[in-house]
Amino acid sequence: DVAAFPPWSATENSFLFFGRKTGEDKGDWWVAKLAGKTVRRTGIMEKLFNATAGFSRGTYYPVPGAWLKDNTVLFAATAVDATNIWSVRVNSGGTVLDEPRHWTSGTEVEQYPGAVVTAKGLIRAVYAALTISSSIWRIPLSAAGQGSGDPELLTAMYRAGSPSLSRDGGMMAFSTRQPLGETIQLAELGSGRPVASSTLHLGSNTRPVLSGDGRTVAWVNNLTGYIMGVKGDAPQVICPHCGQPTHLNF
């Protein structure tokens, strides 16, 4: 069994936490009361998935971040390509009182909420708004695996990351963020620096993985796994509610 991320109640001797029993796929939020030594499942995960808030970039599943005295729970969730603060009301008995909703609407990564309710009933909150800058580099290695040259910049496209190479090192798939959302890019690693790339897929794409022959790419979009041929085939669903791909055979 797993239990983690426990914010205390602001009004009672109890706390809310994310828990998953052995054999469960998704887990749930639970309420634990210390006085009676009782634990109750909230059943909130189905509501989160129905609201497209069933995934969080930082913790995989959404976890409670702050539990206020008006029963508001703040948490971070990723919908499409933005990670924002969401809210839902849960009482001390573990009953979910309303539907999850967006609490912030930034376009970057917003996480780690903390808040209080003032004497006038106003919510004062803080959270981390993160701006991520990244690029993809290459370092030549010797036969012994030691660095044998200066680092080379391959691409500095906005939020470039998760590079995956074909077996011969001639093709690279990677993720970037564009105005219409996250993309999977495909590049041939020739002599030009930075490399030129073309958009293979637009959407919410997590960690693309390229096959050894460079012909197929796999990725996860909102907990659903896909594969797609790099020559323009339509994406195919290969698994629902699955984790990020790590390897793709030929």
Side-chain angles (χ1 to χ4, degrees):
D1 295 352
V2 175
F5 305 103
W8 283 95
S9 167
T11 58
E12 299 189 26
N13 194 17
S14 59
F15 60 90
L16 186 65
F17 66 96
F18 175 84
R20 185 173 64 186
K21 288 182 171 294
T22 301
E24 289 186 341
D25 292 330
K26 295 184 290 187
D28 204 348
W29 293 5
W30 300 71
V31 171
K33 291 193 173 184
L34 299 188
K37 297 182 179 180
T38 60
V39 179
R40 179 183 175 185
R41 182 192 295 266
T42 66
I44 197 174
M45 290 306 296
E46 183 176 356
K47 286 181 176 287
L48 297 181
F49 276 101
N50 290 339
T52 67
F55 171 70
S56 180
R57 190 184 302 271
T59 56
Y60 194 79
Y61 291 115
V63 298
W67 194 11
L68 310 184
K69 65 182 181 180
D70 67 350
N71 295 320
T72 297
V73 179
L74 301 181
F75 62 97
T78 303
V80 189
D81 63 344
T83 300
N84 302 121
I85 307 302
W86 288 61
S87 71
V88 66
R89 296 177 65 240
V90 180
N91 67 19
S92 61
T95 300
V96 181
L97 303 177
D98 59 8
E99 298 297 321
R101 63 184 182 88
H102 264 105
W103 211 69
T104 64
S105 57
T107 59
E108 290 289 341
V109 179
E110 299 168 335
Q111 293 178 309
Y112 315 117
V116 296
V117 180
T118 68
K120 296 182 179 180
L122 301 176
I123 296 178
R124 294 287 185 259
V126 295
Y127 58 88
L130 310 176
T131 299
I132 300 173
S133 177
S134 61
S135 54
I136 298 174
W137 294 70
R138 177 169 64 182
I139 300 176
L141 298 179
S142 67
Q146 302 295 320
S148 60
D150 294 330
E152 301 174 273
L153 175 65
L154 294 181
T155 179
M157 294 180 69
Y158 182 58
R159 295 271 293 273
S162 301
S164 178
L165 295 173
S166 60
R167 184 176 181 179
D168 63 6
M171 299 288 291
M172 178 177 70
F174 61 98
S175 63
T176 66
R177 184 165 181 174
Q178 302 296 316
L180 296 178
E182 294 186 1
T183 69
I184 295 175
Q185 299 286 323
L186 189 69
E188 293 188 21
L189 300 184
S191 59
R193 301 288 181 273
V195 298
S197 64
S198 58
T199 299
L200 182 63
H201 188 263
L202 173 66
S204 179
N205 311 297
T206 301
R207 190 180 291 175
V209 174
L210 190 63
S211 63
D213 59 9
R215 296 180 179 179
T216 307
V217 66
W219 71 93
V220 166
N221 182 345
N222 290 331
L223 302 180
T224 300
Y226 295 86
I227 60 172
M228 178 179 176
V230 301
K231 296 300 184 181
D233 295 343
Q236 301 177 38
V237 175
I238 56 173
C239 63
H241 303 299
C242 55
Q244 297 174 347
T246 57
H247 299 82
L248 186 62
N249 61 10
F250 286 83

